Amino acid sequence: MTIQFNTETFRDDYSFRNSDWAIKRFPFPFHEDSYMYSVNMEQHRGGPAGSVYEKRFDVDEHYVSEMADRAIVLAEDPLRCQSLPHMTLAGWDTLELIMVSKSEDYPDLFELHRDGDRWRWINKPMGIDHTFTFLDETTLPCGPLEYITRQAQGDYAVLDQRGDMLYMDAGMVTTQADWSLDFDIGMDFFEWHAPVPLAHEMGIFKRALKFLLNIQQGAPARRLNWTMTVNPLLDTSPENYHKWGVQKTTLTPENIGAKQHLRVELQTFYRLPRSNALLFPIRCYLIAFQDLVTVPKWGRRLHRVVRDLPEELATYKGFIANRPLMLEYLSRYDDGLPTSPGI
Ligand code: HEM
């Protein structure tokens, strides 16, 4: 289908909206009526037509506006994109993977023409037509990672693999759920996960790391993660906490349906060919509670998940103070009927 790109904002007047199509394909993350951390990894081999899993790098109606928001964040804070010197090759790997995937998966929107090392990249939604030399940084306006991730929705962490460990040595992070690339750069897998409650004791990170170290080229994996965001903000970074943290206190019974958003991350994992680095795209999808409850089984289930979520997780995810308000709203959409397993 042809995508109609929205003109919308994720700040100030918050004109972000999901169309009926976007609501229908929202990646609702709960398979049952309760939630606990697990090593919820599966192969990323596509999915039903129209779903967010179908393509390697999903492009939707928010694409152009999300890229405009990223440009604003980068203009204010260039450290949201960093690449340690040994990661340049991984940046080229990332550029190649995204350009090849997008041009194959969305030929009406993106074209890649390769003549040896001379590459011509056409990005129609963003009005870009650029010829450059692959692996020659002087032919791009910025580094390869920054160049391509200014044109691809979601955040990107690029992990170097040394020994049996992953290190966060590069990334583009402007739409994150309250963590900082500038703080985490150079850290290893256990260090950057240190703030997460309960999961370390459950052995989740040891098993997750083992899985990640074994990811092979051409066999990407994926998982979902979720949190809550008041107002459709993409940039919920620690750097800007002073701007968005206070917005959590503005919820009322009258505005919660419009303001409170479930934030779901589709996280994928790709082994890169030349650098052997691991690419970790984190794609953020937002949905207002008032849109979510238009799907009765989602409203019913979200009520139960939020109600029964362990206090440590509700605190870490930052909505413990608003949980009573959320429950008051969501309980209206829970008729007490049993739900079936699956989504
Ligand atoms: C949270 C990065 C893979 C499970 C986080 C955080 C970061 C992160 C930066 C936020 C920590 C903070 O509070 O500062 C990454 C990267 C990965 C990766 C770069 C790829 C190499 C995984 C995998 C799992 C996982 C495979 C599988 C279980 C979690 C969980 C949280 C978390 C459960 C807490 C999220 C929440 O409650 O909202 N991750 N992660 N991560 N990560 Fe990962």
Side-chain angles (χ1 to χ4, degrees):
M1 75 173 261
T2 312
I3 303 169
Q4 294 294 322
F5 296 108
N6 301 349
T7 303
E8 59 190 356
T9 54
F10 303 86
R11 55 185 66 231
D12 305 324
D13 63 345
Y14 298 111
S15 61
F16 163 88
R17 295 288 176 277
N18 279 313
S19 66
D20 290 345
W21 173 69
I23 294 170
K24 201 166 154 225
R25 72 198 294 273
F26 188 81
F28 188 73
F30 305 112
H31 297 270
E32 51 190 1
D33 287 353
S34 61
Y35 176 82
M36 180 33 93
Y37 293 143
S38 63
V39 187
N40 54 336
M41 312 277 293
E42 57 180 333
Q43 293 306 312
H44 183 41
R45 286 200 211 99
S51 75
V52 302
Y53 310 108
E54 184 188 5
K55 316 284 194 197
R56 285 164 281 187
F57 295 88
D58 182 46
V59 174
D60 67 9
E61 64 194 31
H62 307 297
Y63 175 53
V64 175
S65 298
E66 285 190 22
M67 294 302 94
D69 195 77
R70 165 155 295 160
I72 296 172
V73 176
L74 287 169
E76 286 173 359
D77 183 0
L79 291 178
R80 298 302 189 85
C81 183
Q82 298 191 39
S83 178
L84 297 183
H86 62 282
M87 297 301 282
T88 305
L89 189 59
W92 283 109
D93 278 336
T94 303
L95 175 144
E96 178 188 47
L97 176 67
I98 295 178
M99 285 187 178
V100 169
S101 303
K102 284 195 169 197
S103 57
E104 287 176 359
D105 291 349
Y106 299 94
D108 51 331
L109 302 178
F110 305 96
E111 290 175 27
L112 180 63
H113 304 278
R114 289 184 280 190
D115 177 11
D117 286 347
R118 275 317 263 176
W119 291 21
R120 181 176 174 206
W121 167 245
I122 302 174
N123 175 340
K124 293 182 192 166
M126 292 182 71
I128 294 169
D129 182 341
H130 188 184
T131 299
F132 62 95
T133 306
F134 188 67
L135 295 178
D136 179 354
E137 268 194 89
T138 63
T139 60
L140 289 178
C142 52
L145 179 67
E146 179 176 346
Y147 180 77
I148 195 57
T149 57
R150 277 179 179 270
Q151 302 177 49
Q153 286 166 276
D155 282 340
Y156 295 82
V158 194
L159 299 319
D160 196 23
Q161 185 162 327
R162 301 194 291 277
D164 282 338
M165 186 46 79
L166 295 169
Y167 298 86
M168 199 184 293
D169 285 351
M172 167 67 92
V173 179
T174 66
T175 69
Q176 70 271 48
D178 205 5
W179 66 278
S180 162
L181 174 68
D182 192 41
F183 185 77
D184 286 359
I185 191 96
M187 283 190 187
D188 75 26
F189 189 80
F190 297 122
E191 289 168 341
W192 78 64
H193 278 122
V196 181
L198 305 181
H200 294 270
E201 300 89 296
M202 293 167 68
I204 283 176
F205 289 122
K206 269 198 182 133
R207 277 179 285 137
L209 176 62
K210 202 168 168 191
F211 185 100
L212 295 179
L213 293 174
N214 285 311
I215 287 181
Q216 305 293 313
Q217 226 191 100
R222 70 180 177 224
R223 67 183 288 267
L224 292 179
N225 187 43
W226 67 277
T227 189
M228 294 285 178
T229 306
V230 174
N231 288 325
L233 274 154
L234 284 177
D235 175 20
T236 49
S237 57
E239 286 88 346
N240 279 332
Y241 187 80
H242 58 289
K243 294 183 191 163
W244 60 268
V246 65
Q247 297 180 29
K248 293 200 263 181
T249 63
T250 62
L251 276 194
T252 65
E254 292 71 40
N255 68 23
I256 186 169
K259 269 183 175 257
Q260 181 64 59
H261 289 69
L262 174 66
R263 181 187 196 101
V264 174
E265 293 176 350
L266 170 56
Q267 307 182 340
T268 49
F269 306 87
Y270 289 85
R271 178 70 60 196
L272 297 175
R274 298 170 190 77
S275 56
N276 198 42
L278 195 72
L279 179 66
F280 179 51
I282 311 154
R283 175 63 189 281
C284 166
Y285 295 87
L286 292 164
I287 189 168
F289 271 21
Q290 67 188 15
D291 289 341
L292 185 144
V293 298
T294 61
V295 182
K297 61 183 176 181
W298 291 357
R300 194 184 284 135
R301 179 160 282 172
L302 187 64
H303 171 244
R304 298 169 193 186
V305 168
V306 171
R307 183 191 61 200
D308 300 338
L309 194 74
E311 204 168 315
E312 294 92 329
L313 269 71
T315 304
Y316 173 73
K317 290 175 185 285
F319 65 86
I320 191 85
N322 284 330
R323 174 147 71 172
L325 263 182
M326 290 178 179
L327 291 177
E328 191 190 315
Y329 178 86
L330 290 171
S331 62
R332 285 188 259 147
Y333 301 92
D334 187 353
D335 49 16
L337 286 176
T339 57
S340 41
I343 293 171

